Amino acid sequence: MSDAAPAADQTARLQTRRLRLRRDGLGSRIGVALLLSLLCAAALIALAGHNPLEAFLAIVQGAVGSQHQIGASLNRTTPYLLSGAGVALCFRAGIINIGAEGQIAVGGAGAAAAALALAGAPSLVAIPLALVGGALAGSLWAGLAAAIHLGRGVHEVLVTLLLNFIALLLVQQLLAGPLGQPGAGFLQSSLMPRSAWLSHLAGFDVHAGILIAVVAAAALSFVLWWTRFGFALRVSGSSRLAAAYAGFSLARLTWGAMLTAGALAGLAGGIEVLGMHRRLIEGFSLGFGFKAVTVALLGAMEPLAVVPAALFVGLLESGSLAMQRQIGVPTALITVIEGLTMLFVLAATAARR
Amino acid sequence: MIEFLAAAIRIATPLALAALGGILSERAGVFAVGLEGMMLAGAFAAAIGAWATSEPIAGLLLAPLGGGVIGLAVAIVAVRFRADNMVTGLAVNVLALGLTSYLMRILASGGRPVSMRLPLLTALPIPALSDLPVIGPLLFAQPPLTYLTALGCLLMTLFLNRTQAGLTLRATGENPEAVFASGGHPARVRMLAVIACGAVAGLGGAVLTLQQVGTFTDGMTGGRGYMALAALIVGRWTPWGAAAACLVFGAAEAFELRLQSFGVPVSSYVVQMAPYLIALTVLAGLGQSSKLPAAIGQPLPSTR
């Protein structure tokens, strides 16, 4: 490994990262945080003049009330799980990657371009290649952030944020130009060739994306806990100094974590395009970046624990439409719950010195 | 040309006010990622005040309160509980987005946001000065919050560099242990700075609702808080520097509007990237900063 001991000024900069959790009673701390945010949500529902219990019941029924709704909930969960697991990996290493939104957008464009180019190929070729195209595009976008961050010392939060805005505009530009459907009137691509559609699993209203996402989360957990790279990531997340003295290359770790997270976010974008919309549409990734951060925090930055966290957010969102329709509580409540959950989890788990 | 400069100033004003708030927070040692949420809450509170009373002044008074509440949330979680500054900022941005959308809808009670047509703050031409050719209409016939922004730059510079409180605030961002050793309360300073940041950024949001748009829409800040954050870094954490950076971003956006109105055959999406590309390029060009407050983002040691 190259840069063994960091220079003094770099050391000072390294110490500014403290995205660490208290390990003692972590599960119950997160549980309390979740409970508090739901209590606040209940108060807001009551403020609107509705019964909180009825509203929560409507969410549950809307999310898991029928086989179709369960499928819709799982489909919603998929992109949050994929991108959230990647964000969790970055957070573990103390890299605050909030670029999932842009990486998902670019990944969707990559997958759409690949699928359109592969029109006529059999599904067994078209789907994997299109998804790989999405993952590569997402990786590329995350790699751009890593290059600017490492090369020029710009904080990764700013780089990934600004690249999110640029990515959204880039996808719009692609839809206005080469990828767009001529004469559609909207910014959207042509329909994906049928052979590239991610079809529903036999007998369920859910596409294969959720399986890919769970396998990816498990694989990421394996990498984090059973490989040298994962160990180095965890060390650098706990103490950048210790990682540097142990001879781990911080630059290489950052590249690894960012490219992996970018690939997962890009994959999420590809799955949205091939499985949900079946075309690339403008702004399909809006808000996904923050949800990825929410589920990463709620899942205690542990890829496997991100599975229930993403499921929670997916169910909440999927059921919120029923809540709005039946009870009259606006779906914006879900965004409030997500914001509150992040805040309470942060407060409840912040490491003390 | 005059129109172009006027547009640049108009676009820069909310950014510059938010950046002024952000300087308070960052110089005290807390990253100001929450500017977006503070602006949004301020814009919302201003809209509610002006809508409920039909007086824009009431909105002006409520705006710092809205932003300050978000600042308080950051102060509690990031300073008191020592959570990561950056992620806390993101969390309050999500919270502000959700809360303002939710409240707009329950005000109307029908699932749709309440519709508002707000009275706008009108331009206050300064006698004599506004009669000057060219610069008169450009600089001295502005609405009140634009004057406040310029005045704010001056006051903030004086506060940071010429007052004891400003010195304590800067010391808290550079070396909180020294502040503690000399009998100060670094945690208190940081909390107050972040709440004040919210109040000032809230006024920045009020520029949008009370001076420019005349209504409140979901997520209407649209990333302006993040641009303000980039501006204060580009401006090296100084009020005038940040304001200059905001003017550059404003000029980039104004230029984009001009191109569109002239029908220049350049894709609008590429042109819209300009402010973000400029911000990214300048940040990358400046490189790693030695001017960054030394203790920024570092939680305070527990002092009991």
Side-chain angles (χ1 to χ4, degrees):
Chain A
M1 298 259 163
S2 51
D3 44 343
D9 64 327
Q10 199 188 352
T11 316
R13 200 162 59 83
L14 297 179
Q15 285 174 334
T16 65
R17 291 140 199 272
R18 335 203 129 255
L19 201 74
R20 279 195 275 148
L21 304 181
R22 288 181 82 160
R23 303 308 309 178
D24 53 312
L26 187 60
S28 54
R29 281 172 186 281
I30 291 181
V32 169
L34 201 54
L35 202 64
L36 281 176
S37 67
L38 289 178
L39 275 176
C40 291
L44 281 170
I45 296 170
L47 181 72
H50 300 288
N51 183 339
L53 285 179
E54 276 179 25
F56 287 139
L57 202 65
I59 292 184
V60 173
Q61 278 174 347
V64 296
S66 73
Q67 207 220 9
H68 172 74
Q69 284 159 330
I70 294 177
S73 302
L74 290 177
N75 285 343
R76 271 212 171 232
T77 303
T78 303
Y80 303 160
L81 174 50
L82 276 169
S83 52
V87 168
L89 188 78
C90 288
F91 279 8
R92 260 308 154 118
I95 304 158
I96 306 171
N97 162 26
I98 47 174
E101 191 151 323
Q103 293 150 19
I104 293 171
V106 173
L116 288 173
L118 290 165
S123 290
L124 270 178
V125 178
I127 294 177
L129 280 185
L131 290 180
V132 167
L136 278 179
S139 246
L140 196 73
W141 202 250
L144 184 60
I148 298 173
H149 166 54
L150 290 171
R152 301 299 310 160
V154 186
H155 199 288
E156 73 269 18
V157 164
L158 275 170
V159 179
T160 48
L161 258 174
L162 291 171
L163 282 178
N164 281 347
F165 289 105
I166 296 172
L168 292 182
L169 289 164
L170 182 69
V171 170
Q172 287 177 341
Q173 174 61 38
L174 287 174
L175 286 176
L179 278 180
Q181 183 181 26
F186 310 102
L187 281 181
Q188 61 175 33
S189 72
S190 313
L191 206 60
M192 294 295 120
R194 198 167 262 277
S195 60
W197 288 12
L198 213 52
S199 53
H200 284 177
L201 298 176
F204 296 94
D205 287 336
V206 58
H207 60 66
I210 187 73
L211 296 182
I212 301 176
V214 172
V215 169
L220 216 53
S221 181
F222 177 84
V223 167
L224 188 60
W225 293 102
W226 296 97
T227 66
R228 186 176 183 279
F229 172 65
F231 175 70
L233 275 184
R234 285 183 285 127
V235 172
S236 88
S238 303
S239 163
R240 292 245 154 170
L241 267 181
Y245 280 118
F248 300 130
S249 158
L250 292 172
R252 209 176 298 178
L253 285 173
T254 306
W255 276 110
M258 285 296 284
L259 291 180
T260 310
L264 288 170
L267 189 58
I271 288 174
E272 283 294 287
V273 167
L274 301 185
M276 287 292 283
H277 309 298
R278 307 219 155 125
R279 55 171 97 231
L280 181 65
I281 54 177
E282 180 192 9
F284 75 96
S285 65
L286 273 183
F288 281 26
F290 296 128
K291 315 236 190 260
V293 175
T294 311
V295 302
L297 283 179
L298 191 56
M301 308 178 211
E302 158 58 51
L304 271 183
V306 173
V307 177
L311 195 60
F312 174 74
V313 173
L315 289 172
L316 212 54
E317 294 198 351
S318 173
S320 67
L321 284 172
M323 171 188 74
Q324 174 162 313
R325 209 172 40 239
Q326 292 167 15
I327 316 286
V329 179
T331 53
L333 182 73
I334 305 305
T335 313
V336 181
I337 295 180
E338 286 163 0
L340 285 171
T341 303
M342 285 163 89
L343 276 182
F344 284 128
V345 169
L346 280 167
T349 59
R352 301 197 167 233
R353 269 220 275 228
Chain B
M1 191 60 195
I2 298 270
E3 270 174 54
F4 168 75
L5 290 175
I9 291 175
R10 195 180 62 237
I11 297 164
T13 306
L15 297 184
L17 261 179
L20 280 180
I23 287 172
L24 277 176
S25 170
E26 296 223 336
R27 290 299 279 269
V30 180
F31 282 113
V33 180
L35 282 180
E36 177 83 5
M38 294 164 179
M39 281 183 90
L40 192 60
F44 172 77
I48 293 297
W51 172 69
T53 61
S54 304
E55 280 298 330
I57 300 296
L60 215 51
L61 294 176
L62 270 189
L65 215 64
V69 167
I70 299 294
L72 179 66
V74 176
I76 292 173
V77 176
V79 182
R80 165 71 184 76
F81 285 96
R82 302 186 184 84
D84 182 86
N85 289 183
M86 299 276 185
V87 187
T88 306
L90 285 178
V92 293
N93 293 346
V94 174
L95 178 64
L97 177 66
L99 209 51
T100 51
S101 309
Y102 182 78
L103 293 175
M104 281 298 279
R105 279 166 181 76
I106 68 171
L107 274 175
S109 77
R112 292 167 56 87
V114 60
S115 68
M116 295 176 173
R117 290 194 59 187
L118 305 174
L120 287 179
L121 292 166
T122 46
L124 298 175
I126 297 177
L129 283 177
S130 63
D131 295 334
L132 291 171
V134 188
I135 60 164
L138 191 62
L139 299 181
F140 300 110
Q142 292 284 359
L145 283 172
T146 310
Y147 295 128
L148 184 70
T149 308
L151 187 66
C153 287
L154 181 68
L155 292 179
M156 188 73 79
T157 309
L158 292 176
F159 169 75
L160 288 174
N161 298 329
R162 294 273 184 277
T163 67
Q164 182 64 39
L167 178 66
T168 309
L169 183 133
R170 285 186 289 129
T172 306
E174 301 288 343
N175 190 344
E177 282 85 357
V179 175
F180 183 68
S182 63
H185 303 275
R188 203 178 294 167
V189 173
R190 279 193 178 176
M191 289 188 79
L192 283 176
V194 174
I195 295 168
C197 161
V200 178
L203 281 173
V207 175
L208 297 174
T209 40
L210 298 182
Q211 211 165 277
Q212 295 179 358
V213 184
T215 187
F216 182 88
T217 53
D218 292 345
M220 71 183 298
T221 43
R224 285 182 179 81
Y226 300 123
M227 288 306 280
L229 179 62
L232 77 93
I233 296 171
V234 168
R236 312 276 84 179
W237 294 272
T238 62
W240 295 112
C246 289
L247 274 174
V248 172
F249 295 161
E253 210 177 316
F255 183 64
E256 160 206 329
L257 296 174
R258 300 295 283 175
L259 276 184
Q260 280 174 16
S261 64
F262 282 134
V264 177
V266 179
S267 164
S268 65
Y269 303 109
V270 175
V271 181
Q272 280 177 46
M273 288 180 196
Y276 307 111
L277 285 175
I278 291 176
L280 203 54
T281 314
V282 177
L283 285 171
L286 289 170
Q288 193 175 315
S289 164
S290 52
K291 284 270 178 60
L292 190 72
I296 193 164
Q298 305 215 26
L300 300 166
S302 44
T303 48
R304 236 165 295 160

